[in-house]
């Protein structure tokens, strides 16, 4: 597998664009398009929040029933959530306009929105934006990059990646982009992430691969514990790589899943590390758990703890908060048997074991916790299962961003 | 029922004290004693965290097996959690020293600690502190107040209350004190809370009343979502009011439960409003829920949402975050049918209904959200059950306190 510096336009037959549509802000790109020259099989996972944004409801229907998807239209600035019937009608109009502008059926168009909740989308600007996107679309790397930038809200960096790999003697490409930052605690999926591939894979296997993958990628990150109303992860596969169709489990499917996991994990880590106000990416690695589910619960509990997040922000080796978070996770273990380590590029430190604190250097611990990527390693000594979760520290900036998000 | 300005020394036969033992800080009281002149029936609820502090393990044993409890010794500064066998031995020694100093068996002594996790208690200072407490104990209001101050950590105000009521023609008194502030997300109980009463009530009914009560009092508050390793709620009843013993459900039991609920709710609200860095108490009131459990889950989800907490700090009527928090709570409801109101002493505002935002004045909303006590009222229109939860806003100060707690 080869990593390439590209995103959603890396795979054969995929075009993209990003334009300034002034949905909410001035002087920044805020609408994006992904377009495939041929119909795609599509799969998706969506928020489990009872309150689902209109675009989520639209996409669920299209992913389930559409014979072929060819476009995704995304806007930032306004989430089109908690917008009632008017919000749903806006999605339908968006798909119809995009279908007309791109020469495809409205049922081939997926839509996604991110931004403030409870505000209606400006229909005229959305329409103008779609026509600009249809005009601007290109299969260049730059076009993919512009799309990745246009979906950002409080993100500080765009997030994209692509990989190349071989299936049945053919080169297959898989690329993706996402945005995260706040209201990030995905359950079934994440804020907004879009993957494109030219793999030839059945719709059933595509959905299976995606649903399996999120459990250890996007579902293992959290910025603030708030599961959004708009979480959407979509993958489009247009088959243009012409590999023998993947229609069952086996070697080809595993190669595809491995590439998929590389891409999703890369994007998920990026999202966690660029959480609102974050100064550090926190990786919580749990080993020796009694079951895979326990490992996931324990790893995620650590990165969700406000106190642990604040301690990392302060470069303070306050390991008690980590034990506390493991303890209330719901998983069963023996606290006397847990080993705790801090790890970063500056080294590794054994902090806690045998029921009490180890003799460690506070200076060394502070140095490790001052690095931009910090790993908290917990060995539960209960079995052999492992899991990794990703989060970020809790800073003044998070509060600042969210105390005044709408203005 | 009459509310009196007092605390743990209000009920007959209860003495208290607070002293400076220099456990961690200088020039502040950090050890407290509650003492009953006669043996008490005791009941308690404790943290559900898998990682339980040594004092929690000690108290669970004593509450279950001791024929009569007469004293509680509390220290702040060091939590005696994650301290292994040495921490447990420290509890045993503490009880033995207190028993000797007070002329009661070690098995009549409960202990509690709050503060930093992972550090051993200074045995010599604890011993000295206990002897000072035994010397200083008094049944005065001031003594109760000193005890309430001595158990504070990052609390900004002490928290105590007492009430008088009649059972079987006798005046019964119930008082209590607690401390909260950080690592507050009780599950089965809260950080540290101590109640004293002269009611004559069987041990079985005392435990029953306490266990029933916490579901709608201490278990309905959250400051930061972190369930502590030390959560302890204890009640001591010495029977000195000489009312006919409450040994079954009935009118007397209900009168007792009502008084108990008044006291616990008062203390729980105080704890939420004085959360670390808090500038406002947030009350989340859910009505029209399908079941009591749904009502509790929904109410608690709102006050736990970091984004909602930050919005209240910024006086921003970002109601989408509240709907989002209701939505991921796990309770089933129809988002199109939810009515949302903001309420405070400045008035009441209908914010959301029928699936989209109401026409409301942002100025009025900001005014309401600027008050020190803000109620978020959610009518689910799914049934008739209600619940209330209490939390606080999320401020820069919370991050500041917790980024650097140990230094």
């Amino acid at each position: 597998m080869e990593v390439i510096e590209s995103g959603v336009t890396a795979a054969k037959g995929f075009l993209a664009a990003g334009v300034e549509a002034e949905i909410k802000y001035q002087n920044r790109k805020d609408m994006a398009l992904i377009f495939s020259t041929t119909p795609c099989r599509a799969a998706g996972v969506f928020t489990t929040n009872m309150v689902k944004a209109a675009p989520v409801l639209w996409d669920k229907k299209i992913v389930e029933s559409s014979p072929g998807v060819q476009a995704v239209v995304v806007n930032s600035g306004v989430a089109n959530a908690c917008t009632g019937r008017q919000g749903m009608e806006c999605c339908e109009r968006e798909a119809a306009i995009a279908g007309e502008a791109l020469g495809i059926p409205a049922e081939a168009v997926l839509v996604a929105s991110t931004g403030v909740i409870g505000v209606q989308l400006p229909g005229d600007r959305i329409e103008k934006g779609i026509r600009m996107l249809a005009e601007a679309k290109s299969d260049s790397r730059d076009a993919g990059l512009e799309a990745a930038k246009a979906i950002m809200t409080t993100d500080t960096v765009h997030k994209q990646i692509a990989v190349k790999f071989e299936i049945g003697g053919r080169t297959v490409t898989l690329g993706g982009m996402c945005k995260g930052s706040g209201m990030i605690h995905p359950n079934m999926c994440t804020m907004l992430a879009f993957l494109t591939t030219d793999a030839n894979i059945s719709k059933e296997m595509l959905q299976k691969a995606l649903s399996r993958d999120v459990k250890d990628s996007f579902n293992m990150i959290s910025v603030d514990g708030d599961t959004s109303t708009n979480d959407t992860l979509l993958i489009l596969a247009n088959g243009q790589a012409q590999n023998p169709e993947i229609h069952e489990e086996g070697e080809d499917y595993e190669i595809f899943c491995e590439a998929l996991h590389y891409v999703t994990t890369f994007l998920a880590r990026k999202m966690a590390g660029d959480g609102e106000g974050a100064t550090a990416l926190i990786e919580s690695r749990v080993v020796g758990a009694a079951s895979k589910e326990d490992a996931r619960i324990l790893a995620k509990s650590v990165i969700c703890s406000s106190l642990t997040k604040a301690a990392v922000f302060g470069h303070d080796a306050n390991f008690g908060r980590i034990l506390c978070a493991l303890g209330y996770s719901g998983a069963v273990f023996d606290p006397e048997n847990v080993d705790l380590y801090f790890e970063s590029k500056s080294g590794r430190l054994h902090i806690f074991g045998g029921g009490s604190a180890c003799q460690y250097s506070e200076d060394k611990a502070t140095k490790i916790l001052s690095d931009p990527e910090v790993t908290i390693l917990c060995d539960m000594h209960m079995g052999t299962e492992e899991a990794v979760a990703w989060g970020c520290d809790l800073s003044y900036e998070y509060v600042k961003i969210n105390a005044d998000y709408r203005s």
Side-chain angles (χ1 to χ4, degrees), chain A residues 35 70 96-106 134 137:
Chain A
F35 179 74
Q70 268 189 270
I97 293 163
E100 187 229 28
L102 296 164
I104 57 175
K137 70 182 186 297

Side-chain angles (χ1 to χ4, degrees), chain A residues 14-36:
Chain A
F14 282 98
L15 288 68
V19 299
E20 291 179 23
E22 298 186 345
I23 301 301
K24 181 157 183 273
Y25 303 103
Q26 306 283 315
N27 303 318
R28 54 157 291 186
K29 295 201 160 62
D30 54 3
M31 280 193 79
L33 169 73
I34 300 173
F35 179 74
S36 169

